[in-house]
Amino acid sequence: MVRFAALKSLYEVEKTIGTGGFAKVKLGTHILTGEKVAIKIMEKECLGDDYPRVRIELEALKSISHHHICKLYQVIETPTHFFMIMEYCSGGELFDHIVEKNKLSESESRMFFRQILSAVAYLHSKGYVHRDLKPENILLDKDLNIKLIDFGLCAKPEGGMETHLQTSCGSPTYAAPELIKGRKYIGSEVDVWSLGVLLFALLCGFLPFDCDTIDSLYKKILSGKYDEPSWLSKESREVIRRMLQVDPSKRIKVEDLLSHSWMTMGCYEPVTFSSLHELQERDEEVIDLMATYYGVSGKAMSQRLGEWRYDYDTATYHLMLARKKQGLPLKIN
Ligand SMILES: CN(C)C[C@H]1CC[C@H](N2C(=O)N(C)Cc3cnc4ccc(-c5cc(Cl)c(O)c(Cl)c5)nc4c32)CC1
């Protein structure tokens, strides 16, 4: 049953897969390809002062495209609603994956953390900071690849990545000392702190700073003191310590994390962050199929897609590409 006229004949809307503050996320099916999508639905009148966050997230997701960041396919705006049609992550939240395994092995943590680091380094290379990095905002696809989500708090500092930000945001548990002090901070440095908290949670199965009152939590974070479990390897302790430095100027930089010995243990290469999507050539086979379906020339279809309007054609192209990558038959029905 389709309750939203704007989605009619484009998507089938199915069950709610989650709610987050001012948004509801529903499972959907892209009718032309039969592929599953996640549809983030926001009612404008309920947004209130969260309205700017929606614009920020939309603009960010439209200008980034990385294999470890949840892909935005289509944006539909009506007088009353925003609809964001995105890549469906059927593996659920990384958080649940850690909980059900109690904690991850060092090598599994390394596999996930390298992917998260790649997504964050890519984001920073595009001039964005996430500012709300936490396990709940890291989803898994069906192959257990990570997908970073929720860019409602991200920022694109005007004067570039070196300018200071001021807004205090994100969840305190993962927030850097300078951020909870309300001081001016460098976005990339607060993301590195959150990455340190994240890696600690992956390896230990619990949080470095976790108290029952906000005040004691703040004091603990500002002290930068946390208990290192005795079974944590020397290398793991060292790399976490480099990220959880209270003084941001002493904190390791993302570019140094990429080639840190903990990342490359097990003869891995340093983490790279170039996007497989951006390196990918336009897929002529998919374009030709779409051109035939719409009865236009391949050139005209390619022209149209090149404008990245985030309309139904953008969604159809990306979903057909996803099917092709899975070796599924390319069909448009
Ligand atoms: C706790 N948050 C504030 C909201 C929560 C809503 C459900 C969602 N989800 C889940 O929780 N599954 C367990 C299933 C699931 C599957 N695919 C998804 C694909 C995209 C998103 C998504 C959601 C939001 Cl609010 C975004 O801004 C973006 Cl960029 C992406 N959420 C998905 C999603 C995870 C987040």
Side-chain angles (χ1 to χ4, degrees):
M1 114 322 255
V2 176
R3 271 205 308 275
F4 303 104
L7 302 178
K8 193 161 172 44
S9 78
L10 302 178
Y11 298 92
E12 256 138 39
V13 182
E14 289 141 44
K15 65 180 163 86
T16 296
I17 48 180
T19 50
F22 50 88
K24 192 188 284 277
V25 182
K26 285 181 174 288
L27 178 64
T29 303
H30 175 265
I31 292 175
L32 265 196
T33 60
E35 288 291 291
K36 291 295 173 208
V37 291
I39 305 176
K40 182 173 177 180
I41 302 166
M42 292 157 278
E43 203 170 338
K44 285 184 174 175
E45 67 187 19
C46 308
L47 287 177
D49 45 12
D50 280 322
Y51 190 93
R53 282 180 58 174
V54 177
R55 286 270 170 235
I56 291 166
E57 180 169 60
L58 277 177
E59 288 325 305
L61 285 172
K62 280 184 173 178
S63 47
I64 56 180
S65 180
H66 188 272
H67 47 295
H68 288 312
I69 295 177
C70 184
K71 185 89 189 91
L72 173 69
Y73 294 137
Q74 182 173 0
V75 179
I76 298 174
E77 182 173 354
T78 70
T80 55
H81 286 83
F82 279 114
F83 300 96
M84 289 169 64
I85 289 84
M86 294 178 279
E87 176 177 11
Y88 175 58
C89 305
S90 57
E93 289 184 12
L94 174 62
F95 196 75
D96 300 331
H97 189 77
I98 303 173
V99 166
E100 94 197 11
K101 298 193 115 184
N102 170 275
K103 65 182 190 320
L104 305 181
S105 67
E106 189 168 318
S107 55
E108 194 177 11
S109 300
R110 178 171 297 109
M111 182 195 68
F112 281 132
F113 192 79
R114 284 174 56 94
Q115 295 181 10
I116 298 165
L117 184 58
S118 177
V120 173
Y122 168 84
L123 209 53
H124 290 183
S125 75
K126 294 287 175 183
Y128 284 97
V129 288
H130 189 280
R131 296 197 299 187
D132 197 16
L133 293 170
K134 56 187 179 182
E136 298 89 322
N137 284 341
I138 295 168
L139 300 181
L140 298 166
D141 68 8
K142 62 180 181 10
D143 304 318
L144 293 192
N145 288 309
I146 75 109
K147 300 284 177 179
L148 187 54
I149 63 158
D150 212 337
F151 292 77
L153 290 174
C154 80
K156 182 170 189 137
E158 260 58 50
M161 293 299 278
E162 293 322 304
T163 45
H164 284 88
L165 293 162
Q166 177 81 40
T167 6
S168 165
C169 54
S171 356
T173 319
Y174 302 87
E178 66 272 21
L179 197 148
I180 59 176
K181 264 193 269 185
R183 305 274 292 279
K184 287 190 171 309
Y185 59 85
I186 302 270
S188 54
E189 293 172 350
V190 302
D191 277 351
V192 169
W193 174 277
S194 306
L195 284 171
V197 178
L198 242 170
L199 181 55
F200 187 99
L202 285 172
L203 287 163
C204 305
F206 56 90
L207 293 163
F209 311 107
D210 202 2
C211 311
D212 20 22
T213 69
I214 283 279
D215 276 3
S216 48
L217 175 65
Y218 278 10
K219 282 197 184 68
K220 211 158 159 26
I221 291 170
L222 294 177
S223 78
K225 291 197 175 14
Y226 55 91
D227 302 328
E228 289 175 342
S230 55
W231 37 265
L232 211 51
S233 76
K234 197 170 50 58
E235 299 80 5
S236 298
R237 295 174 199 218
E238 196 271 332
V239 73
I240 290 171
R241 214 173 294 140
R242 298 288 300 107
M243 290 187 264
L244 297 184
Q245 286 292 315
V246 173
D247 177 350
S249 66
K250 293 203 179 81
R251 214 171 289 157
I252 190 169
K253 303 289 179 214
V254 169
E255 42 276 7
D256 298 323
L257 263 180
L258 298 170
S259 53
H260 188 281
S261 56
W262 190 87
M263 302 302 147
T264 56
M265 273 173 79
C267 68
Y268 277 113
E269 290 303 305
V271 180
T272 58
F273 57 88
S274 44
S275 160
L276 299 180
H277 296 172
E278 291 175 346
L279 295 175
Q280 178 131 37
E281 289 297 303
R282 204 66 71 64
D283 189 294
E284 293 311 323
E285 183 187 11
V286 169
I287 290 174
D288 287 348
L289 266 169
M290 288 178 68
T292 311
Y293 177 79
Y294 286 111
V296 300
S297 73
K299 192 168 173 306
M301 193 74 236
S302 190
Q303 199 88 40
R304 189 137 159 45
L305 283 170
E307 290 157 23
W308 294 132
R309 295 185 189 169
Y310 287 92
D311 57 9
Y312 199 60
D313 289 345
T314 308
T316 305
Y317 174 77
H318 281 117
L319 288 162
M320 297 257 300
L321 211 52
R323 276 186 74 84
K324 184 171 180 178
K325 233 178 268 178
Q326 294 163 47
L328 296 171
L330 290 185
K331 64 181 175 74
I332 283 197
N333 49 20

